[in-house]
C-alpha cells in the first residue's frame, strides 16, 4: 500500500505539461508582469544616467644620450623602450593620490587654486609661494645668463689664443736666429730701447687681450658658482613654501578628499591594452600609457580632467621615470588626437530595459511554474477514475453522473391564478 501511495504522489513529465497547458493563462500573465516590471526597473536605473569619457594614449621612450657609448648591455639599449616592471611602477604612480593631487593643483603654478572661499591664511601661503617661485625663476635666469656669458667668453679666449699662437709661431720662426731665447709659448715682448715693431705690438695686444679675457672668464666662473648656489637655495625655499601652502590647503579644504577620490575614480591608467593578444606579454618592452576617463553625469568635469591629464601626464612621467644607462632622460608625448570627451553610454536605457525585462520575465515564469506545481500537488482531491482505482485498489464498475436538477420557477401571476 505504501508503494502505491508513493507511486500516486509522483508526477510525470507529461502531467506537468498538461498542468502547464491548463494554467497557460496564469503563466502568460506572470510572464507579462515580469517583463513589464523588468523594463520599468531598467528605465528607472538608467533614466538620466549619462556617462562621459575618452581614451588618451601617450608614447613613452627613453631619450638616448648622444655623448654616451652606444654599446651597453641594458635591455633598454636593445628595445629602445621600457620594460614591464618600469612601466608598472609608473602606472602605479599615476594611479596614486600623489598624481591625483597634481591634477587638482593649478597646472601653471603647482599651487592650490584660489577661490572666493579660500581662507586668508591659505591665500598668504600661496602668495608667499608665488614670490618664492618668482625669485627662484629669477635666480635660474641669472645663472643661465652667466652660463651663456661664460660660454661666449671661453669661445673668445679660444679664438684669441688661436690667433696669438699663430702670430707668435710666425714671429718666432722669423727671429729664431737673432732671438734664440724666445719661448715656444706666447709671451709679452719687452722693449729693448729700439722700439717695438708693428708685429710685436700686435702680439702684445693679443697677449694682453687674452689675459684680460681670462680674467673675465675667472670672474664669470666665480659669479656663476654663486648664482648656482643662490638658484639652489631659492629652489629649496620655493619648494618649502609650496609644500607649506599645499599642506594647509589639505587641512582647510573640506572638499579635498571628495575631489581626490572623484579624480581617482574617474581616470584609470595602464601600460598594456587589454584588447591586444600576445603570447609573451611579460617579455615585451612597453612603450605606451593608456588613460581611460569615465565620469558619471559630469561632462564639464570630464573635459577639465582631460585637459589636465594631457598637460600634466607628460611632465610627471618625464620627471619620475627611471633613466637607464646610456640614456639621459625620457620622452613622453600624446599620440591620440580624436580623444575628445563624448557620451559613452548612448542607448544604455533601451539595452538595460530589454535585459531586465527578459531576466525578470524568465524569473517570473519559473516562479509561476513552481507555484502552480506546488498548488497542484497540495490538492488531495480525486479528479480521475484512475486515481480512485489506485487509491482504493478496487475496480470501478460504473459512474453516476452528477446532474444538478433544474427547479422550474412558475411566474408569480400563474401561482396566484392557481390559488
Amino acid at each position: 500500500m505504501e508503494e502505491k501511495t508513493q507511486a500516486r504522489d509522483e508526477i510525470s513529465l507529461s502531467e506537468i505539461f498538461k498542468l502547464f497547458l491548463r494554467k497557460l493563462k496564469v503563466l502568460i500573465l506572470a510572464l507579462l508582469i515580469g517583463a513589464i516590471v523588468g523594463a520599468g526597473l531598467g528605465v528607472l536605473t538608467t533614466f538620466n544616467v549619462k556617462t562621459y569619457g575618452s581614451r588618451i594614449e601617450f608614447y613613452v621612450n627613453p631619450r638616448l644620450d648622444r655623448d654616451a657609448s652606444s654599446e651597453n648591455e641594458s635591455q633598454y639599449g636593445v628595445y629602445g623602450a621600457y620594460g614591464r616592471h618600469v612601466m608598472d611602477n609608473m602606472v602605479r604612480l599615476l594611479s596614486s593620490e600623489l598624481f591625483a593631487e597634481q591634477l587638482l593643483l593649478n597646472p601653471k603654478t603647482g599651487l592650490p587654486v584660489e577661490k572666493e572661499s579660500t581662507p586668508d591664511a591659505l591665500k598668504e601661503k600661496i602668495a608667499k609661494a608665488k614670490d618664492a617661485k618668482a625669485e627662484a625663476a629669477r635666480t635660474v635666469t641669472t645663472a643661465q645668463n652667466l652660463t651663456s656669458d661664460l660660454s661666449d667668453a671661453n669661445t673668445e679666449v679660444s679664438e684669441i689664443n688661436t690667433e696669438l699662437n699663430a702670430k707668435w709661431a710666425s714671429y718666432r720662426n722669423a727671429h729664431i736666429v737673432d732671438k734664440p731665447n724666445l719661448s715656444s709659448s706666447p709671451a709679452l715682448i719687452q722693449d729693448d730701447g729700439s722700439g717695438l715693431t708693428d708685429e710685436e705690438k700686435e702680439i702684445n695686444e693679443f697677449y694682453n687681450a687674452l689675459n684680460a679675457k681670462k680674467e673675465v672668464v675667472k670672474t664669470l666662473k666665480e659669479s656663476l658658482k654663486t648664482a648656482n648656489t643662490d638658484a639652489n637655495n631659492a629652489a629649496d625655499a620655493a619648494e618649502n613654501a609650496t609644500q607649506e601652502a599645499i599642506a594647509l590647503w589639505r587641512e582647510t579644504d573640506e572638499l579635498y578628499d571628495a575631489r581626490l577620490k572623484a579624480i581617482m575614480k574617474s581616470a584609470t591608467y595602464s601600460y598594456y591594452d587589454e584588447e591586444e593578444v600576445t603570447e609573451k606579454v611579460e617579455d615585451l618592452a612597453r612603450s605606451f600609457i593608456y588613460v581611460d576617463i569615465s565620469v558619471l553625469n559630469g561632462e564639464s568635469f570630464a573635459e577639465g580632467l582631460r585637459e589636465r591629464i594631457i598637460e600634466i601626464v607628460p611632465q610627471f612621467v618625464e620627471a619620475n621615470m627611471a633613466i637607464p644607462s646610456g640614456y639621459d632622460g625620457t620622452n613622453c608625448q600624446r599620440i591620440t588626437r580624436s580623444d575628445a570627451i563624448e557620451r559613452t553610454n548612448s542607448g544604455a536605457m533601451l539595452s538595460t530595459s530589454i535585459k531586465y525585462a527578459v531576466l525578470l520575465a524568465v524569473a517570473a515564469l519559473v516562479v509561476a511554474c513552481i507555484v502552480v506545481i506546488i498548488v497542484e500537488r497540495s490538492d488531495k482531491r480525486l479528479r480521475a477514475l484512475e486515481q480512485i482505482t489506485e487509491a482504493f485498489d478496487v475496480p470501478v464498475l460504473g459512474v453516476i453522473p452528477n446532474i444538478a436538477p433544474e427547479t422550474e420557477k412558475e411566474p408569480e401571476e400563474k401561482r396566484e391564478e392557481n390559488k
Side-chain angles (χ1 to χ4, degrees):
M1 187 67 180
E2 182 180 354
E3 294 178 356
K4 292 181 179 180
T5 303
Q6 182 178 0
R8 185 175 67 250
D9 293 338
E10 295 177 355
I11 184 170
S12 64
L13 187 61
S14 61
E15 292 177 349
I16 292 177
F17 283 120
K18 291 178 181 179
L19 175 61
F20 289 164
L21 288 176
R22 292 198 304 270
K23 302 295 184 180
L24 184 59
K25 293 182 179 180
V26 175
L27 297 180
I28 293 176
L29 181 61
L31 183 69
L32 292 176
I33 292 175
I36 294 173
V37 173
L41 183 61
V43 171
L44 290 176
T45 55
T46 57
F47 178 73
N48 202 28
V49 175
K50 300 177 181 179
T51 303
Y52 298 94
S54 175
R55 163 168 278 207
I56 309 172
E57 298 181 12
F58 296 90
Y59 175 65
V60 183
N61 69 311
R63 183 175 61 241
L64 184 64
D65 186 359
R66 300 298 179 183
D67 297 331
S69 174
S70 60
E71 297 180 359
N72 61 79
E73 298 179 356
S74 172
Q75 62 171 329
Y76 309 106
V78 177
Y79 295 115
Y82 290 102
R84 180 182 61 85
H85 59 287
V86 177
M87 296 298 290
D88 183 68
N89 289 338
M90 178 51 60
V91 166
R92 288 177 180 272
L93 283 176
L94 292 172
S95 303
S96 66
E97 294 183 353
L98 171 66
F99 182 70
E101 185 182 72
Q102 296 295 315
L103 296 177
L104 285 174
L105 298 174
N106 189 324
K108 295 181 179 180
T109 63
L111 293 167
V113 179
E114 292 188 64
K115 301 178 181 179
E116 295 181 358
S117 58
T118 302
D120 294 337
L122 179 57
K123 289 182 179 179
E124 293 178 1
K125 291 286 185 181
I126 294 175
K128 181 180 178 181
K130 287 182 178 180
D131 293 340
K133 285 178 175 290
E135 177 63 18
R138 186 191 65 79
T139 56
V140 169
T141 301
T142 301
Q144 290 175 345
N145 292 336
L146 287 173
T147 301
S148 178
D149 293 342
L150 179 59
S151 178
D152 294 340
N154 283 326
T155 300
E156 292 180 11
V157 167
S158 178
E159 293 174 353
I160 294 174
N161 190 50
T162 301
E163 189 71 18
L164 177 60
N165 285 330
K167 292 183 179 297
W168 180 259
S170 177
Y171 175 78
R172 186 168 178 271
N173 291 333
H175 298 83
I176 191 68
V177 176
D178 57 339
K179 296 182 179 181
N181 295 328
L182 290 176
S183 64
S184 58
S185 300
L188 187 66
I189 302 175
Q190 302 295 331
D191 187 0
D192 57 1
S194 60
L196 298 176
T197 64
D198 293 340
E199 182 181 14
E200 292 174 339
K201 292 179 179 179
E202 187 177 15
I203 290 176
N204 284 346
E205 290 177 359
F206 273 96
Y207 184 83
N208 293 329
L210 178 62
N211 288 333
K213 188 59 65 175
K214 285 182 177 180
E215 289 295 326
V216 171
V217 169
K218 182 179 179 181
T219 302
L220 286 174
K221 285 183 178 180
E222 294 177 353
S223 299
L224 180 59
K225 183 178 179 181
T226 302
N228 286 332
T229 302
D230 294 340
N232 291 333
N233 294 334
D236 292 339
E239 180 64 20
N240 293 334
T242 300
Q243 293 304 320
E244 289 179 2
I246 293 176
L248 184 58
W249 167 59
R250 295 190 191 109
E251 297 175 359
T252 57
D253 191 348
E254 297 179 353
L255 299 178
Y256 174 81
D257 292 335
R259 291 172 180 170
L260 201 67
K261 292 178 181 178
I263 287 180
M264 296 182 67
K265 182 180 179 181
S266 302
T268 56
Y269 307 86
S270 62
Y271 64 92
Y272 171 66
D273 191 351
E274 296 180 355
E275 297 179 358
E276 296 179 357
V277 179
T278 55
E279 295 181 356
K280 298 181 179 180
V281 175
E282 295 185 356
D283 296 336
L284 297 179
R286 315 307 300 174
S287 299
F288 300 92
I289 292 179
Y290 305 94
V291 184
D292 292 302
I293 300 175
S294 180
V295 180
L296 182 63
N297 293 335
E299 185 176 6
S300 59
F301 176 75
E303 291 176 350
L305 180 60
R306 170 184 171 272
E307 293 177 359
R308 294 193 176 188
I309 285 176
I310 290 175
E311 182 176 1
I312 298 177
V313 164
Q315 301 174 7
F316 187 84
V317 171
E318 292 177 0
N320 294 277
M321 182 68 80
I323 301 177
S325 59
Y327 297 85
D328 61 1
T330 300
N331 290 321
C332 180
Q333 56 181 326
R334 169 172 154 255
I335 61 174
T336 52
R337 294 298 179 265
S338 56
D339 51 19
I341 296 297
E342 58 185 12
R343 186 175 176 182
T344 58
N345 67 334
S346 299
M349 180 182 294
L350 178 61
S351 60
T352 304
S353 299
I354 294 175
K355 180 176 68 176
Y356 281 17
V358 172
L359 292 176
L360 286 186
V362 172
L365 180 61
V366 171
V367 172
C369 291
I370 294 174
V371 171
V372 166
I373 294 175
I374 293 174
V375 171
E376 180 68 18
R377 297 297 293 168
S378 63
D379 190 355
K380 301 301 182 180
R381 291 179 297 174
L382 302 176
R383 294 186 176 87
L385 298 177
E386 294 81 0
Q387 293 179 341
I388 298 174
T389 304
E390 292 176 359
F392 300 101
D393 195 20
V394 294
V396 178
L397 300 178
V399 178
I400 300 174
N402 184 15
I403 301 176
E406 296 182 358
T407 304
E408 295 182 358
K409 298 182 178 179
E410 296 180 355
E412 185 177 354
E413 296 179 354
K414 188 175 182 180
R415 287 200 299 271
E416 290 179 353
E417 290 178 357
N418 293 333
K419 291 180 180 179

